[in-house]
Amino acid sequence: MRILLLGANGQVGHALREALPALGELACATRGGRLSDGTSCERADFDQPDALAPLIARVAPDIVVNAAAYTAVDRAEDDREAAYRINAEAPGVLAAACARRGALLVHYSTDYVFDGRGTRPYREDDSAAPLGVYGASKLAGEQAVRAAGGRHMILRTAWVYGLHGHNFLRSILRLAGERDELRVVDDQIGTPTSAGLVARTTGTLLTQQLRRSGTWHLAARGETSWHGLAVSIVEHAHARGMLDRIPKVAPVASSEYPSRASRPAYSCLDSGLLQREFLTPLPCWQDDLARVFDTEHGRRG
């Protein structure tokens, strides 16, 4: 089985580079044609969607895993064309190319397709109503993948973090090493999910016979605020010697940090469908976070 991984330098892409080789021959692609360690690889620039179909034809994969995306939520409000080109047009071109050769496309989406007015974790059949350009462009990407008519697996995930790439965990660790006090929003509630969990679960799903194309939620269980996540991050880091001291982590309202784009106040995802259909249990977010730190601590040890 030949797998093509797109967006191999991102935080999910980096984790997928560890999870996918066990399934078959893995070809990686990045925007610049090089992996983060300098190794050359395939080039796939989602800002140039027309270049994607020739890549699929040349590599001839059985499975394409798309971990590339425009993720700058605030910048997307003023960069709408680029966000839609990368998050909607490019996945549509990719899906059409996969459909022509009968390849399975795994495509990641986001909790930001929902408006955050819900009172229970969102299920796959709940109505999408994104608040900003980022969420709207990701929803358009989902629709383009479905419209192509090929075999596809759309996996919505949420609050993705890890020890690679740009994300909340790395920002908190950096700030915690520099400041005595952190002020973190506590009125946005979601489901923190590690890039490693996304990658490992994707690998598990691909070992099974996909009975139908569809959309599934892939997130850890439970919920917390950004403040709750930050408190857990600094506690884990301090316990493993990654921080010399634990700074004060003060809860603040979103209104104290106005941003260009609106964020959903509640965007937890219900991953029950994926767990039932694929018999794949998912951990609570606390255990998922602990595993990230335990793995890193083991590597350093």
Side-chain angles (χ1 to χ4, degrees), residues 12 16 65-67 106-110 138 155 157 198-199 202 218:
V12 173
L16 285 164
V65 180
N66 177 30
V106 179
H107 178 72
Y108 298 103
S109 191
T110 174
K138 291 296 289 182
L155 300 174
T157 189
V198 174
T202 299
L218 194 179

Side-chain angles (χ1 to χ4, degrees), residues 28-172:
C28 294
T30 66
R31 183 174 184 175
R34 288 194 176 277
L35 297 177
S36 52
D37 62 2
T39 305
S40 62
C41 64
E42 299 288 346
R43 186 174 184 274
D45 186 352
F46 273 51
D47 209 27
Q48 299 177 3
D50 291 344
L52 296 175
L55 173 64
I56 299 300
R58 180 166 53 77
V59 176
D62 302 296
I63 298 173
V64 175
V65 180
N66 177 30
Y70 185 114
T71 58
V73 176
D74 288 317
R75 193 165 70 234
E77 295 298 308
D78 300 308
D79 201 10
R80 181 185 178 90
E81 290 187 3
Y84 269 86
R85 188 165 54 250
I86 294 168
N87 288 345
E89 182 183 349
V93 171
L94 190 63
C98 288
R100 285 192 291 272
R101 63 167 287 101
L104 169 66
L105 173 62
V106 179
H107 178 72
Y108 298 103
S109 191
T110 174
D111 56 326
Y112 276 39
V113 301
F114 298 112
D115 62 14
R117 295 187 175 92
T119 56
R120 52 133 177 96
Y122 285 97
R123 296 189 289 262
E124 290 81 354
D125 57 357
D126 285 325
S127 297
L131 298 177
V133 170
Y134 167 68
S137 67
K138 291 296 289 182
L139 179 59
E142 291 185 12
Q143 294 166 341
V145 168
R146 296 186 191 106
R151 297 167 57 222
H152 64 268
M153 175 181 286
I154 296 171
L155 300 174
R156 290 181 183 144
T157 189
W159 288 29
V160 179
Y161 66 86
L163 289 168
H164 299 278
H166 301 288
N167 59 74
F168 184 78
L169 182 147
R170 294 194 68 193
S171 294
I172 290 297

Side-chain angles (χ1 to χ4, degrees), residues 15-16 19 194-205 283 288 291-292 295:
L16 285 164
S194 73
L197 178 59
V198 174
R200 291 190 303 273
T201 304
T202 299
T204 298
L205 300 183
D288 186 27
R291 177 170 178 163
V292 170
T295 300

Side-chain angles (χ1 to χ4, degrees), residues 114-289:
F114 298 112
D115 62 14
R117 295 187 175 92
T119 56
R120 52 133 177 96
Y122 285 97
R123 296 189 289 262
E124 290 81 354
D125 57 357
D126 285 325
S127 297
L131 298 177
V133 170
Y134 167 68
S137 67
K138 291 296 289 182
L139 179 59
E142 291 185 12
Q143 294 166 341
V145 168
R146 296 186 191 106
R151 297 167 57 222
H152 64 268
M153 175 181 286
I154 296 171
L155 300 174
R156 290 181 183 144
T157 189
W159 288 29
V160 179
Y161 66 86
L163 289 168
H164 299 278
H166 301 288
N167 59 74
F168 184 78
L169 182 147
R170 294 194 68 193
S171 294
I172 290 297
L173 289 179
R174 175 179 56 80
L175 293 172
E178 299 171 352
R179 302 178 184 180
D180 294 325
E181 178 176 319
L182 308 182
R183 295 166 58 81
V184 185
V185 167
D186 75 338
D187 56 2
Q188 293 175 22
I189 306 298
T191 312
T193 305
S194 73
L197 178 59
V198 174
R200 291 190 303 273
T201 304
T202 299
T204 298
L205 300 183
L206 291 178
T207 64
Q208 303 186 38
Q209 182 65 40
L210 183 64
R211 293 183 290 274
R212 63 178 176 86
S213 292
T215 301
W216 292 268
H217 290 172
L218 194 179
R221 294 183 288 108
E223 61 184 54
T224 189
S225 66
W226 290 114
H227 172 265
L229 177 56
V231 169
S232 292
I233 288 171
V234 297
E235 289 177 348
H236 278 295
H238 181 262
R240 291 161 179 80
M242 297 172 67
L243 289 175
D244 294 332
R245 50 158 180 67
I246 298 179
K248 178 181 178 181
V249 184
V252 298
S254 299
S255 58
E256 294 194 35
Y257 288 98
S259 59
R260 184 72 179 85
S262 297
R263 267 79 168 168
Y266 181 90
S267 62
C268 297
L269 298 179
D270 182 337
S271 299
L273 180 65
L274 182 145
Q275 294 182 94
R276 292 191 301 273
E277 291 194 348
F278 295 96
L279 302 179
T280 303
L282 294 168
C284 65
W285 71 265
Q286 296 95 328
D287 289 345
D288 186 27
L289 179 65

